[in-house]
Amino acid sequence: MTNSASYFPMKAVCSALFSWGLISGLLANIAIAKNQDVSSLTDSQVHIQTATDPFSPVIAAEYLPKNIIYLIGDGMGPAYTTAYRYYSDNPQTNRVEKTIFDQLLVGMSSTYPDDDTYVTDSAAAATALATSYKSYNGAIAVDHQHGALPTIFEIAKAQGKTTAIVVTSQINHATPASFLAHNESRRNYDQIADSYISNLVHQRPIADLMLGGGTQYFVREDRDLTLEFQEFGYQYVDQLTDLNSISSLPALGLFAPKGLPAAIRSDDPLRLTTMTAKALDLLSKQDAPFIALVEASQIDWCGHSNDITCAMTEMHDFAKTLELAKRYVDAHPDTLLVATADHSTGGLTLGRDGTYQWQGQLLHQVHSLPRSIAKLIINTPDVLNDLNTFSTFLRPHISIDIEDKKLDSLRWKLNSRLTQHKAEQHITDDLKQAIDKLTYTGWTTGGHDAIDVPVYAYGKGALYFRGHKDNTEIAATLIQMVQDERYKQTSSF
């Protein structure tokens, strides 16, 4: 099975895009026909496609948002949002409280790439979410022939709208890159970073605000892209503590060599929330409408590592970010919030080994990542000398009450790893598995899986995201909204 056809009818322009002279033509070529009926203010207002129709959304004018906040929980399949519900539950109440994810849920989305595997990577998924086209795993907004696929950010920028990305990965990682760049491989990090300064619309970089990590790709021996951005008038900061020194757009903030420190190890465990709050403040000061991409990048990294503690702390940051975005929409009702995941990671299960329970509340008593604990053990192996010493060492990191027999068994196992090749990795894995057994958490893979992912929407135009959507349909709808909201100012900063 292949799915080369787009859900957005603009195939004729895809293989030849980026001399900028074609962008203006692109905006005309990708316009969707408006000959379908919009009958009422209810669900019937959303056009129903047949199985063979290309997806061509028709958006009623009264539901066109001025601003769009597009949030992606990388790797956040439905098991993650379910786990977060129980992790964040108040055990003092009789009922399990609903989370922000429960409150905003409107549907589900398929994520398959343009091949017969059904399992996408982040690049192909982000390409679909940014362009409405499916492509191959590893593709950064290009088709199988490496022709550039126009992105929602490029289309918005061509209309004079303000654009922003906020991520906890490096800003040239697969998801943000698929909104701002075009490359045959997500692994070409330096090329992608370089293209952020060369892929221009109206002689300006695509993103007016970029917050995340990635200094090692932007400040290199051969080239310092941060200086080149400053020549374009960008403010630049390289410390998260200096975030509030950004007073206007355009701006660039790079706060780590690659991804930001994990939430559980960060001086600001809600660093995505903090960056998003600053971004929304800056965007609100602009006259132009905006589209902002906000990605909780490291949920996926936790899933690849099969680290449930890591996953729940990243989920907490994303939940708080989502709550912040909802409050913004409440205060700015001309704004649309859409959130989803690019795919699910790890094959997470709540319950294991035939036992009918999940003890996610215990994760609040895990205060350090297993890999951090493993590093300490490698550096001070004497902590494994006896049960008392090990218990004293472990208590500040994992304060769960563990039977002496089980704890001593873990100590013996960790001790046996010290002389093995890749001892630190083995100890990390042993600690993660111990936590999994205590909480009855299961995993099926260290990669991605093909499970459908949740879709959340709130604000102006949210009804167009109800039900089951393919990821390309989410993008096609948002692109149509960006096109139809006819803000045409093209002056630069």
Side-chain angles (χ1 to χ4, degrees), residues 180-355:
L180 302 179
H182 306 274
N183 200 284
E184 65 187 51
S185 174
R186 60 179 293 179
R187 302 299 176 190
N188 294 330
Y189 289 116
D190 287 353
Q191 290 180 17
I192 291 167
D194 291 347
S195 72
Y196 283 13
I197 208 80
S198 61
N199 184 25
L200 306 177
V201 172
H202 298 313
Q203 300 180 335
R204 302 288 305 175
I206 303 299
D208 301 306
L209 176 64
M210 292 171 280
L211 300 177
T215 50
Q216 77 173 55
Y217 305 107
F218 287 81
V219 182
R220 312 188 307 258
E221 286 187 10
D222 67 308
R223 192 172 183 184
D224 188 340
L225 294 168
T226 65
L227 294 178
E228 296 181 45
F229 273 108
Q230 288 175 75
E231 290 173 4
F232 270 104
Y234 282 66
Q235 293 186 67
Y236 172 60
V237 295
D238 61 4
Q239 299 294 324
L240 188 56
T241 51
D242 293 333
L243 182 63
N244 285 332
S245 69
I246 299 176
S247 57
S248 62
L249 297 181
L252 170 66
L254 301 176
F255 308 124
K258 290 186 177 180
L260 273 61
I264 196 172
R265 294 192 294 110
S266 176
D267 292 336
D268 181 2
L270 300 180
R271 72 271 197 250
L272 182 64
T273 311
T274 298
M275 292 190 295
T276 303
K278 182 61 177 179
L280 291 175
D281 176 61
L282 291 166
L283 292 167
S284 296
K285 295 175 181 176
Q286 309 304 307
D287 292 331
F290 70 79
I291 177 169
L293 170 70
V294 179
E295 186 195 36
S297 318
Q298 297 188 33
I299 298 170
D300 174 64
W301 300 0
C302 303
H304 281 291
S305 183
N306 289 178
D307 189 332
I308 190 61
T309 305
C310 175
M312 289 301 99
T313 51
E314 296 296 332
M315 285 292 297
H316 184 61
D317 191 6
F318 192 40
K320 294 303 177 185
T321 302
L322 201 54
E323 290 173 3
L324 170 72
K326 180 181 180 295
R327 290 195 298 273
Y328 185 90
V329 175
D330 287 335
H332 303 82
D334 55 358
T335 301
L336 168 66
L337 176 164
V338 173
T340 189
D342 50 353
H343 54 76
S344 181
T345 304
L348 172 63
T349 63
L350 312 183
R352 60 178 288 156
D353 301 331
T355 302

